[in-house]
Amino acid sequence: MSVEESKKIEKIKKSTPKRINIFKGITAMPYRGSKWKFRNQIYEGLKGIKFDDDLKIYDLFGGSGALSIIFKCILPKAKIILNDYDQIIEKDGKNKVDESLTLANTVLNELKAILKPEDLEKDKIKNEEKVHKILDKYKEQFEEDIIARQIVSANINFNGRYELRASSYWNRFKKTDYDMYYHNFEGIKIIHKDYQEILNDKEIEEDKTQKLFLLDPPYLYTETTGYNMTYWKLSKYLYMLIYIFKHPQYKFILFEGKKSCLDDVFEFFQELETIKINYKRVPISKQEFMILINFD
């Protein structure tokens, strides 16, 4: 390459605006089902879609709140209502999520301190008894604290397993402590309701502002470890789909896995209800996608 060509390339680089990282400064939690790792794919999938400035977003299955935070970054003018049904993020108006992170950091630091080089074989932890000793110490707290339990589990298990009493453990420890998280919800309204109660709210029905419902329930035909499956039944999932068909005036983003066969489900409901909905499937990974519903 000649000097002249190099100068041209440098000139183009300088004149090209740098992409702003709208997610900068936010640290994710390894919470089961969290969409934080797909934030860039979600952002790209919504490019070119215009929303009203007074848009209201209802995040019905909040979990760790990652989706609400993602949409707060993408659509900063929108009013976001996050449904923290299991009171994972806060309880009685008080910060609960950072208490979970503090507990997780404490347990992980104790595990890292007790495990010596001879207890490790590459990434595998050979001495399970040492792990059990620490985990048993916090058994009662883990029974109450879903987030702390899942974070610790993600650091000592492999391939998406979420269990503390395992036959084998792996060294997947995060080198630094998890950052506190609650401040990321500033500007987001947090409520604690059954999602059906929200959908049946007459005030939402009467409010004519543009609405977007984020639907990220446990996937059909997926591993359910870590979810409260005494609450989440197939009937709950079907109720959600019926609501979508009966409210073509709303926009929905439904997240699902590759095994869900939702195309067949949609086809069945459309024949049953004699209502047609338009939807677009946007891949966010090889195994997961988001479905944009009623996005004309």
Side-chain angles (χ1 to χ4, degrees):
M1 185 184 297
S2 67
V3 175
E4 197 172 308
E5 287 174 326
S6 297
K7 285 182 179 179
K8 281 183 181 179
I9 291 170
E10 283 303 313
K11 191 175 181 180
I12 292 169
K13 284 182 178 178
K14 287 178 181 178
S15 63
T16 304
K18 290 183 179 179
R19 179 176 173 181
I20 298 171
N21 181 5
I22 60 172
F23 305 111
K24 189 176 181 180
I26 301 171
T27 306
M29 295 188 299
Y31 185 76
R32 182 172 180 80
S34 172
K35 292 297 176 291
W36 183 252
K37 60 187 173 183
F38 302 131
R39 61 194 179 280
N40 290 314
Q41 291 90 330
I42 293 170
Y43 176 48
E44 292 296 327
L46 294 175
K47 266 190 174 179
I49 298 174
K50 293 186 177 180
F51 295 94
D52 296 345
D53 287 345
D54 61 352
L55 172 71
K56 287 183 180 176
I57 300 175
Y58 291 87
D59 184 2
L60 292 194
F61 306 95
S64 65
L67 264 181
S68 285
I69 294 170
I70 289 170
F71 277 81
K72 174 186 168 184
C73 296
I74 296 174
L75 299 167
K77 291 182 180 179
K79 181 178 180 181
I80 300 175
I81 299 94
L82 163 62
N83 186 33
D84 176 25
Y85 174 75
D86 292 314
Q87 300 186 74
I88 289 170
I89 299 161
E90 66 172 28
K91 189 172 185 178
D92 300 325
K94 295 179 181 178
N95 174 4
K96 186 179 174 185
V97 68
D98 284 352
E99 289 181 8
S100 300
L101 287 167
T102 300
L103 173 59
N105 285 332
T106 299
V107 176
L108 291 172
N109 284 327
E110 287 191 28
L111 283 169
K112 285 185 276 189
I114 201 171
L115 291 170
K116 306 302 179 186
E118 58 268 24
D119 297 318
L120 305 173
E121 184 179 317
K122 293 184 178 179
D123 289 337
K124 188 173 183 181
I125 299 172
K126 294 192 296 182
N127 196 331
E128 293 89 2
E129 288 305 314
K130 283 190 174 182
V131 177
H132 291 159
K133 183 180 179 181
I134 300 297
L135 297 182
D136 289 346
K137 180 180 171 182
Y138 294 96
K139 185 178 178 181
E140 288 185 11
Q141 286 157 281
F142 283 141
E143 287 175 359
E144 298 291 326
D145 198 321
I146 299 171
I147 282 189
R149 185 168 72 237
Q150 291 201 6
I151 289 175
V152 171
S153 179
N155 276 264
I156 58 176
N157 282 307
F158 191 67
N159 200 26
R161 282 187 347 200
Y162 284 85
E163 55 183 317
L164 292 178
R165 268 288 175 175
S167 57
S168 61
Y169 298 103
W170 299 85
N171 175 11
R172 304 182 70 233
F173 292 114
K174 187 175 183 290
K175 291 182 180 179
T176 57
D177 282 358
Y178 286 94
D179 293 334
M180 296 298 99
Y181 192 67
Y182 190 73
H183 66 278
N184 294 314
F185 298 104
E186 186 177 343
I188 296 173
K189 183 179 179 182
I190 300 176
I191 59 176
H192 314 279
K193 296 181 179 181
D194 185 298
Y195 87 98
Q196 288 174 279
E197 184 182 344
I198 299 169
L199 294 181
N200 289 325
D201 190 333
K202 289 184 179 179
E203 288 186 15
I204 294 176
E205 198 87 40
E206 293 166 358
D207 179 13
K208 300 305 177 185
T209 55
Q210 188 182 46
K211 296 174 192 66
L212 168 61
F213 291 88
L214 305 180
L215 309 172
D216 187 26
Y219 293 170
L220 289 174
Y221 307 113
T222 192
E223 170 59 45
T224 57
T225 306
Y227 293 117
N228 178 6
M229 298 311 290
T230 58
Y231 164 79
W232 187 253
K233 303 289 187 182
L234 180 59
S235 59
K236 295 271 187 181
Y237 199 102
L238 293 176
Y239 182 92
M240 179 187 71
L241 294 180
I242 290 169
Y243 187 88
I244 290 172
F245 277 91
K246 289 186 175 179
H247 293 82
Q249 73 272 34
Y250 299 150
K251 296 183 187 303
F252 302 88
I253 298 180
L254 172 61
F255 292 86
E256 259 303 341
K258 200 173 182 179
K259 298 178 182 177
S260 67
C261 304
L262 266 182
D263 285 332
D264 293 335
V265 177
F266 281 165
E267 185 179 333
F268 171 78
F269 269 94
Q270 288 184 148
E271 289 181 5
L272 190 67
E273 295 285 331
T274 64
I275 296 173
K276 297 294 179 183
I277 63 167
N278 70 78
Y279 67 95
K280 177 185 176 184
R281 180 186 297 204
V282 179
I284 55 177
S285 76
K286 288 182 179 179
Q287 298 296 326
E288 297 181 70
F289 50 85
M290 62 178 182
I291 303 172
L292 307 182
I293 302 170
N294 299 334
F295 283 71
D296 298 321

